[in-house]
Structure formats: structure tokens, C-alpha cells
Amino acid sequence: DQSTWTFGDHARNPVCQSLTYMLGWRIAGKLAVGKGIPPRRFDMAAFMTAANICDESVALAGGGSEPRYRTDGIFSEADDMSLVLNQFAVSMDARFYDPQGRIALRCKMYEAPVASFTADDLLGDIDWKPFAELTERYNVVRGTYTDARTESLYQSVSPEQACCDLP
């Protein structure tokens, strides 16, 4: 119900922006902007979860914190809906999906893995070398070469043939 909508800093939340875009804004009961999709077509619980992920405070390397995802931008009513929704999805590392006929949103977030191991977790002797000697590191580049000579009919040849058979 748009009569309850407010526009503060949370209006920069890409989930709220995308939902507002899809629900639309009505003036005197008539759709003025947006797509006018009825609220019953949305999985609101999924949108709330995604909005909360966007609002989570993340620490900055230089100190302080900020909300995980925020967006600002402009698009036209003439823009293709899938293009607009794709831009929203990209801005919050999310994807829109349609479970059981209702539009939902899943927003991704990084969670540091937590694991602890003891010697009991090892199956046998371990010889772990995080960095191999320079002579044990391999870089391989493979490719083909198109022989431009008329008699070869512009066929691809291996680099070994190219270096040995060409004049």
C-alpha cells in the first residue's frame, strides 16, 4: 500500500527500488510510473530477506561501515523491463526468480567460511607445499597457426609444424 511508503535513506536500497518499480506508483488510482504488478504476485518474505541483506552494515577497510548494497540511477519508462531488473539484480548480486508463480528475489552475500580441523581429521601423512619451486611451476600456451600460403589452402597447423615447415 503506497500510502504507507516513506522515502529516507532506505529508498536507496536496490530491493526497495526494484519492488517500487514493479509495483508502480499510482495517482488517483491510475498507474503513473512503474509496471503495476499486483502485490499478490510477489513473495514478500523473499523481498524482505533480500532488503535486510542490502541493509546489513559491512565494515570498511579504512574504518567505519556502510550498508552492504545501495544504488542510485535513472531509467526511462520506455526501457525494457528485463534490462531494468537486470541492472537492479547486478547492483545487489541477486537474481529474480519465480517459485510457484510468484516473483521472488534472492540476494547473495559473502560469509567467511568457518572451519576448524584437528590432527584427527587427517587421513594420512601430509606433505603440503603451498608454493612449488620455480622449476616445478608450469605455464603452458597452446594455439594454432593458419598457414597463409596458397598451397596450404589456409589450413590450421600446430605451432610445431608452423615453426618447422614454413620458409
Side-chain angles (χ1 to χ4, degrees):
D1 178 5
Q2 76 183 41
S3 68
T4 63
W5 296 356
T6 60
F7 298 95
D9 184 54
H10 64 278
R12 295 184 60 222
N13 182 315
V15 174
C16 297
Q17 292 172 345
S18 63
L19 188 57
T20 300
Y21 168 73
M22 289 186 283
L23 288 170
W25 183 264
R26 297 181 184 279
I27 298 174
K30 302 231 184 247
L31 185 65
V33 293
K35 297 304 171 188
I37 301 171
R40 69 180 179 279
R41 292 271 298 123
F42 294 93
D43 179 349
M44 289 299 184
F47 276 84
M48 286 187 272
T49 300
N52 288 335
I53 289 171
C54 289
D55 282 339
E56 283 179 353
S57 183
V58 294
L60 299 172
S65 65
E66 68 182 10
R68 183 178 305 279
Y69 298 117
R70 286 293 183 255
T71 54
D72 297 300
I74 298 172
F75 54 86
S76 165
E77 285 293 311
D79 290 341
D80 184 75
M81 181 177 174
S82 63
L83 226 113
V84 173
L85 291 179
N86 185 54
Q87 290 301 311
F88 279 125
V90 167
S91 73
M92 58 184 149
D93 195 13
R95 80 177 178 86
F96 291 93
Y97 63 106
D98 189 1
Q100 301 171 347
R102 296 173 70 201
I103 301 167
L105 179 67
R106 182 169 293 133
C107 192
K108 299 176 189 173
M109 61 182 230
Y110 173 77
E111 292 182 286
V114 177
S116 59
F117 299 99
T118 66
D120 296 335
D121 295 313
L122 303 177
L123 298 176
D125 292 336
I126 293 180
D127 183 22
W128 180 58
K129 296 178 184 171
F131 301 102
E133 293 295 325
L134 187 57
T135 56
E136 295 174 1
R137 297 182 197 172
Y138 301 98
N139 287 324
V140 177
V141 177
R142 293 193 173 101
T144 59
Y145 170 79
T146 303
D147 189 347
R149 294 180 298 170
T150 307
E151 59 272 12
S152 72
L153 300 174
Y154 297 94
Q155 296 296 311
S156 293
V157 293
S158 70
E160 295 81 21
Q161 290 173 319
C163 72
C164 303
D165 294 344
L166 292 180

